[in-house]
Amino acid sequence: MRVFCAVFARGLRRHSTYRAATLSGIVVNGVFGAINAMVLLAVFDARPHINGYTAADAVTQVFVGQALIGVTAVFGPPLELGARVRDGTVASDLLRPVPPTLWWLAQDLGRAAFALLVRSVPTLAVGAALFDLVLPADPLRWAALLVSAVLAALVGFGLRHLYALSAFWLADSRGVEAVGWLLGPFCSGMLLPLTLFPDSVAAVLRLLPWAALVQVPAEMLLGHGAPGGLAHQAVWAAALLALGALLSARAARRLVGQGG
């Protein structure tokens, strides 16, 4: 546990040094959030209610999604694991006194915690300043959003960990990661709330792990969510972490079997 906490702190401290990148990220999130919000406002101008969503709900989800970009890393960055497999330095990772999956998880949660504290709050504030967002007065809704954001970070790590682990079998994880960066924003509700998709398509997308990254947290804040949403996130987080640990163990045996 001490090692886990130390690696977590290291990840948080590491990303806190990139202040210019953090500031530029907030600006970019605000700009793209405003563009996406104006597109959705035009859509809702023609049809005020779509499957229970109003224009304010959709715009709020846009900025929740922008606020969670850094937390979930839905657009990246990839874990360094893939690059370490390519250059062979992953062999030294096996010598650490902690399972590789826990090591990378602790480091990534440090990154996500920094993003949540320093990047998410200002991004949501920008959205509230520019648009009429649905921001509840009930602290329980905010608590549900916080829990959902933590679970979203775990799911985001689980997905990126699997992308990176593909390098053990493909020698290069960048192709898998590129596909993941395309699927993630579309399937998560970041580019377009899943509520706006046809019912049959939305039902399928809600079953996938990417919905846990944006759609579920947004619905927790909007009050459209149910405890089942948090359960969906928790199940996917546990499944992805377990699968990642299993594949990581097999990859380690594969690496040893190949001689280094």
Side-chain angles (χ1 to χ4, degrees):
M1 190 63 181
R2 290 177 58 188
V3 174
F4 186 94
C5 293
V7 176
F8 173 87
R10 175 192 171 196
L12 195 155
R13 185 167 57 252
R14 174 186 177 186
H15 287 274
S16 68
T17 61
Y18 301 113
R19 298 174 185 174
T22 300
L23 179 59
S24 64
I26 295 171
V27 173
V28 169
N29 292 156
V31 170
F32 278 93
I35 293 172
N36 197 0
M38 287 186 287
V39 170
L40 287 176
L41 286 174
V43 172
F44 278 87
D45 187 52
R47 187 176 173 184
H49 292 84
I50 303 177
N51 293 334
Y53 258 45
T54 65
D57 292 334
V59 171
T60 301
Q61 177 160 332
V62 165
F63 279 95
V64 170
Q66 292 295 319
L68 291 176
I69 282 180
V71 176
T72 62
V74 65
F75 286 108
L79 294 181
E80 294 177 9
L81 174 60
R84 294 178 70 82
V85 173
R86 289 197 301 273
D87 62 25
T89 53
V90 69
S92 63
D93 296 341
L94 301 179
L95 301 177
R96 293 171 177 153
V98 64
T101 298
L102 289 181
W103 175 278
W104 292 109
L105 174 60
Q107 190 174 88
D108 196 61
L109 287 181
R111 177 204 58 77
F114 174 78
L116 180 64
L117 294 172
V118 180
R119 185 170 170 179
S120 298
V121 175
T123 298
L124 201 58
V126 169
L130 296 176
F131 299 94
D132 185 19
L133 302 187
V134 180
L135 300 178
D138 185 358
L140 292 179
R141 298 247 294 267
W142 288 103
L145 174 62
L146 180 60
V147 172
S148 187
V150 172
L151 291 172
L154 291 174
V155 173
F157 166 79
L159 289 168
R160 289 159 56 238
H161 188 220
L162 292 180
Y163 302 159
L165 286 171
S166 68
F168 282 99
W169 285 268
L170 302 177
D172 195 332
S173 62
R174 286 176 289 188
V176 174
E177 288 163 348
V179 174
W181 307 149
L182 290 174
L183 286 176
F186 177 80
C187 297
S188 66
M190 177 165 289
L191 297 181
L192 188 68
L194 299 186
T195 306
L196 306 189
F197 285 86
D199 292 343
S200 58
V201 176
V204 172
L205 293 178
R206 285 180 178 276
L207 295 176
L208 301 177
W210 291 285
L213 302 181
V214 175
Q215 187 66 38
V216 174
E219 290 178 345
M220 288 297 130
L221 181 66
L222 293 171
H224 297 311
L230 295 178
H232 169 84
Q233 289 182 296
V235 167
W236 270 116
L240 292 171
L241 291 175
L243 180 59
L246 175 63
L247 292 179
S248 183
R250 290 190 177 181
R253 290 195 295 270
R254 177 185 178 88
L255 183 67
V256 172
Q258 290 178 341

